């Protein structure tokens, strides 16, 4: 399909497809209208760089496939808010490591809806946990000095009995 | 807020499945900087207290997230007291920043501070909780009402007086029993000197409505304002001068049949029910930077769908109450205690928008219960102090 050479702001043709290439060489087609959910891709489309497959060296094929699925779903007209919410909940109802990959991809591609959804999902992992549980879960090294830690532990002892 | 269900495929209760944590050390965690702050903006304030203790960078991220992404918003605190001895008190709170309800949980050996009250629990002007008995006057005005002061009682025995904390002075007015000399007497307690003094009595026009059932109270740091809920007639009392001012007519719309006052930040706010109790036409808010009907400007009106919800299932709505702090107001009614309406002024646009919070626990309210509402600006510091002193911590309710 030949790319448009006009630089005026005409509405995107709904069936126009963009090709994306993942870090591991897989290619994916996405409707231009769905691709516009990504500010990064939107900029490229505006600047007419979208005629060749766009290389995305930061995103694996497995994840890019899901991102395309997300953007396509969210670009659908007439989606009922309740159904979309349920679909979103299922979308992030996956292994934590994959949700992290969604975050990294959404951040790189600047997709605010996906970023927000994935972050909210990670927030659920933080709720109801003690600091120690949070550190274990996310593999975080305690950055407090032993004195600071003792201080804080003493202050909050009751809270965690 | 959407509830996101999580398939916990690799985490058990101990978090010990994959070595130390559920997230393998090899996987890249994006949880730092902007992304950590964005994630934390979705975490309720009560859960940000432990999050801030995870590490220095998390502590900084919590502060930054609260300052720039999603600020804390005033909580609504609902205090329930059993009317039967030993007058057990329980509290729950609503955090509008995350849309969650929380129960106040007190440690085993302790009783909720308010439970030590031997008398009925009342609230006034959004920030004060108090109880008056022949032996003691007890009051609390800290954000979580965990610190209580106890003073000698006022000399006149009063039933349902109006009470207000104006600066460092606690004002008690009216509500005196028939056998007292002056049903309109006013006494002021200096919280620093711990002394009582008698002041100018309430204006004679208030003789038939000097109890808190008839009067709505607001207070700023200098004055107490009382409005007759049914007429809108408002008086102000300056405890330092010991003088009454007014009356002011704060009924800007003739269609209002019931109104209450409060302060939202520096603004004096009037909330009114329009129409009549059997056919409420609407709920409106007016505000003023000074006292006087000429200065009152309409702030906003409750959307029709919400007014319908208020009226739904009730043959009459005869009253509303209001609690407010800063740019946030809560409006609720005895006719429908399970719905709390809130109204917030948005920073950027200056527009006011409405919403609701379902107080599921209110549904089971029995006649043997007193309820008092207060509104507080609660931040991490207040929650930390409450946990540190062992006075209580808030736990998010299931299904919130």
């Amino acid at each position: 399909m030949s790319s448009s050479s006009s630089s005026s702001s005409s509405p995107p043709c709904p069936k126009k497809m963009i090709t994306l290439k993942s870090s591991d060489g897989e290619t994916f087609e996405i409707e231009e209208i769905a691709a516009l959910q990504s500010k990064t891709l939107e900029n490229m489309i505006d600047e007419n760089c979208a005629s060749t497959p766009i290389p995305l060296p930061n995103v694996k094929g497995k994840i890019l496939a899901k991102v395309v699925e997300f953007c396509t779903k969210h670009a659908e007209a007439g989606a009922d808010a309740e159904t979309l919410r349920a679909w979103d909940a299922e979308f992030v109802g996956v292994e934590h490591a994959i949700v992290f990959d969604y975050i990294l991809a959404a951040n790189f591609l600047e997709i605010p809806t996906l970023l927000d959804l994935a972050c909210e999902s990670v927030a659920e992992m933080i709720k109801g946990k003690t600091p120690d549980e949070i550190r274990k879960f996310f593999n975080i090294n305690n950055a407090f000095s032993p004195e600071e830690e003792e201080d804080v532990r003493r202050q909050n002892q009751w809270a965690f009995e | 807020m959407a509830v996101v269900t999580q398939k916990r495929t690799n985490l058990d209760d101990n978090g010990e499945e994959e070595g130390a944590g559920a997230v393998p050390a090899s996987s890249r965690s994006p949880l730092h900087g902007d992304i950590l702050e964005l994630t934390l903006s979705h975490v309720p304030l009560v859960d940000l207290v432990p999050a801030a203790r995870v590490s220095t960078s998390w502590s900084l991220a919590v502060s930054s997230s609260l300052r720039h992404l999603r600020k804390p918003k005033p909580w609504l605190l609902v205090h329930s007291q059993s009317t039967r001895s030993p007058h057990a008190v329980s509290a729950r709170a609503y955090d509008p920043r995350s849309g969650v309800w929380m129960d106040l949980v007190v440690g085993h050996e302790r009783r909720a501070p308010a439970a030590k009250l031997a008398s009925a629990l009342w609230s006034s002007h959004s920030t004060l909780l108090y109880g008056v008995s022949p032996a003691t006057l007890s009051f609390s005005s800290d954000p979580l009402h965990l610190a209580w002061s106890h003073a000698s009682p006022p000399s006149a025995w009063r039933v349902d007086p109006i009470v207000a904390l104006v600066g460092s002075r606690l004002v008690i007015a009216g509500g005196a029993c028939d056998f007292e000399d002056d049903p309109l007497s006013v006494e002021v307690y200096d919280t620093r000197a711990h002394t009582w003094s008698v002041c100018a009595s309430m204006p004679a026009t208030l003789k038939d409505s000097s109890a808190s059932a008839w009067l709505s109270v607001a207070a700023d740091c200098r004055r107490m304002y009382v409005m007759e809920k049914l007429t809108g007639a408002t008086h102000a009392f300056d405890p330092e001068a010991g003088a009454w001012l007014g009356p002011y007519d704060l009924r800007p719309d003739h269609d209002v049949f019931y109104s209450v006052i409060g302060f939202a930040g520096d603004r004096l706010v009037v909330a009114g029910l329009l129409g009549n109790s059997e056919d409420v036409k609407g709920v409106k808010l007016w505000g003023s930077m000074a006292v006087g009907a000429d200065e009152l400007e309409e702030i906003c009106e409750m959307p029709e769908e919400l007014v319908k919800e208020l009226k739904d299932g009730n043959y009459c709505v005869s009253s509303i109450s209001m609690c407010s702090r800063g740019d946030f107001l809560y409006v609720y009614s005895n006719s429908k205690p399970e719905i709390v309406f809130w109204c917030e002024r948005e920073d950027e646009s200056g527009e006011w928008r409405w919403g609701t919070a379902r107080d599921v626990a209110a549904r089971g309210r029995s006649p043997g219960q007193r309820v008092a509402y207060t509104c507080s600006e609660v931040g991490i510091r207040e929650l930390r102090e409450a946990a540190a002193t062992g006075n209580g911590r808030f736990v998010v309710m299931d299904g919130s």
Side-chain angles (χ1 to χ4, degrees):
Chain A
M1 189 182 271
S2 59
S3 55
S4 162
S5 55
S6 152
S7 57
S8 62
S9 52
S10 49
C13 168
K15 285 305 176 195
K16 181 168 179 193
M17 307 297 278
I18 308 284
T19 310
L20 306 173
K21 192 156 127 179
S22 68
S23 59
D24 40 1
E26 278 188 74
T27 56
F28 301 88
E29 294 224 306
I30 181 174
E31 285 182 25
E32 183 177 283
I33 223 175
L36 292 178
Q37 307 247 341
S38 152
K39 290 201 172 66
T40 310
L41 295 179
E42 185 185 1
N43 289 337
M44 291 180 160
I45 291 166
D46 275 348
E47 290 168 19
N48 257 322
C49 307
S51 49
T52 55
I54 300 178
L56 301 173
N58 292 17
V59 192
K60 292 194 302 255
K62 191 172 82 156
I63 300 301
L64 188 52
K66 296 298 283 178
V67 172
V68 167
E69 196 187 320
F70 179 88
C71 292
T72 308
K73 180 74 183 181
H74 277 248
E76 270 174 23
D80 144 292
E82 204 50 56
T83 325
L84 195 58
R85 248 200 300 274
W87 189 91
D88 279 352
E90 246 198 82
F91 188 82
V92 284
V94 293
E95 275 178 35
H96 313 308
I98 297 185
V99 178
F100 283 177
D101 283 334
Y102 288 165
I103 290 181
L104 292 164
N107 192 38
F108 171 65
L109 290 168
E110 290 187 78
I111 308 171
T113 38
L114 179 57
L115 188 58
D116 219 44
L117 175 67
C119 284
E120 196 183 331
S121 165
V122 176
E124 290 295 316
M125 305 176 204
I126 296 173
K127 291 181 195 176
K129 287 192 166 72
T130 64
D132 234 9
E133 286 166 353
I134 296 174
R135 285 184 207 120
K136 282 205 178 66
F137 192 93
F138 294 103
N139 265 301
I140 298 167
N141 287 323
N142 193 347
F144 288 126
S145 73
E147 293 81 16
E148 281 173 324
E149 177 60 38
E150 180 50 42
D151 223 3
V152 167
R153 187 189 302 278
R154 234 181 329 110
Q155 276 175 23
N156 289 271
Q157 197 170 342
W158 177 82
F160 303 108
E161 273 162 16
Chain B
M1 201 157 126
V3 173
V4 180
T5 51
Q6 195 70 47
K7 280 188 215 150
R8 296 187 182 276
T9 51
N10 52 3
L11 174 69
D12 69 7
D13 285 352
N14 304 331
E16 271 166 4
E17 280 237 15
E18 292 184 47
V23 177
S26 54
S27 105
R28 304 169 295 167
S29 166
L31 281 195
H32 35 259
D34 289 349
I35 290 183
L36 178 57
E37 290 185 27
L38 179 61
T39 303
L40 293 172
S41 73
H42 292 285
V43 176
L45 196 70
V46 282
D47 293 307
L48 287 180
V49 176
R53 282 192 46 215
V54 166
S55 69
T56 314
S57 59
W58 273 56
S59 176
L60 293 169
V62 165
S63 299
S64 183
S65 182
L66 284 173
R67 197 173 307 131
H68 303 122
L69 291 184
R70 201 175 287 196
K71 296 187 169 68
K73 293 185 181 173
W75 287 18
L76 179 71
L77 285 100
V78 186
H79 311 268
S80 286
Q81 181 190 43
S82 166
T83 50
R84 269 160 291 168
S85 188
H87 305 296
V89 177
S90 65
R92 58 185 183 278
Y94 177 70
D95 177 2
R97 172 180 169 275
S98 308
V100 294
W101 282 93
M102 298 153 282
D103 277 315
L104 174 63
V105 171
V106 189
H108 304 297
E109 319 286 278
R110 299 167 189 271
R111 291 153 71 208
K116 295 176 193 136
L117 269 189
S119 52
L121 184 68
W122 296 87
S123 64
S124 186
H125 59 76
S126 302
T127 52
L128 182 70
L129 266 190
Y130 65 92
V132 190
S133 78
T136 331
L137 161 70
S138 304
F139 59 97
S140 170
S141 60
D142 61 287
L144 295 173
H145 301 292
L146 300 173
W148 282 78
S149 303
H150 305 280
S152 52
S155 56
W157 170 231
R158 300 161 188 278
V159 176
D160 192 15
I162 51 165
V163 179
L165 186 63
V166 180
S168 61
R169 295 185 174 87
L170 193 82
V171 181
I172 282 206
C177 286
D178 288 338
F179 55 77
E180 290 285 352
D181 287 336
D182 183 3
L184 297 171
S185 74
V186 176
E187 293 178 72
V188 174
Y189 179 74
D190 186 326
T191 61
R192 291 192 202 140
H194 306 291
T195 53
W196 283 98
S197 47
V198 177
C199 290
S201 296
M202 295 172 83
T205 49
L206 293 174
K207 69 171 163 56
D208 295 323
S209 54
S210 68
S212 76
W214 306 111
L215 296 172
S216 172
V217 181
D220 61 15
C221 53
R222 291 178 310 134
R223 294 185 185 153
M224 170 180 79
Y225 298 85
V226 294
M227 168 186 271
E228 273 188 297
K229 298 175 188 173
L230 297 177
T231 64
T234 304
H235 291 83
F237 177 70
D238 181 336
E240 204 176 316
W244 282 90
L245 309 139
Y248 308 100
D249 172 22
L250 292 187
R251 189 57 67 84
D253 189 326
H254 296 299
D255 220 8
V256 174
F257 70 93
Y258 187 94
S259 59
V260 289
I261 40 166
F263 272 97
D266 290 331
R267 226 185 253 106
L268 181 69
V269 176
V270 176
L273 283 172
L274 297 105
N276 61 70
S277 63
E278 273 141 30
D279 183 22
V280 170
K281 295 266 190 304
V283 178
K284 274 194 190 174
L285 298 177
W286 291 267
S288 163
M289 297 305 283
V291 186
D294 322 329
E295 322 273 347
L296 273 186
E297 278 177 353
E298 188 179 317
I299 292 174
C300 63
E301 182 165 4
M302 189 188 276
E304 232 182 275
E305 325 79 77
L306 296 188
V307 179
K308 251 193 214 107
E309 277 199 72
L310 174 62
K311 292 163 67 172
D312 184 40
N314 289 312
Y315 97 90
C316 105
V317 177
S318 53
S319 68
I320 47 166
S321 304
M322 173 172 68
C323 264
S324 53
R325 287 294 273 168
D327 284 335
F328 210 94
L329 296 107
Y330 291 97
V331 174
Y332 44 94
S333 174
N334 270 335
S335 321
K336 207 92 186 273
E338 65 270 20
I339 303 185
V340 173
F341 301 89
W342 54 259
C343 186
E344 177 187 23
R345 183 182 172 278
E346 294 193 317
D347 276 335
E348 318 84 45
S349 60
E351 296 290 311
W352 294 79
R353 64 179 186 115
W354 289 82
T356 55
R358 312 271 137 181
D359 185 8
V360 176
R363 227 175 265 152
R365 185 181 298 177
S366 64
Q369 282 223 308
R370 295 191 55 79
V371 185
Y373 291 80
T374 54
C375 179
S376 300
E377 278 167 319
V378 179
I380 296 248
R381 194 164 45 115
E382 285 76 24
L383 291 174
R384 248 193 219 132
E385 273 171 30
T389 55
N391 274 328
R393 63 190 173 107
F394 286 90
V395 175
V396 177
M397 292 182 195
D398 288 331
S400 203

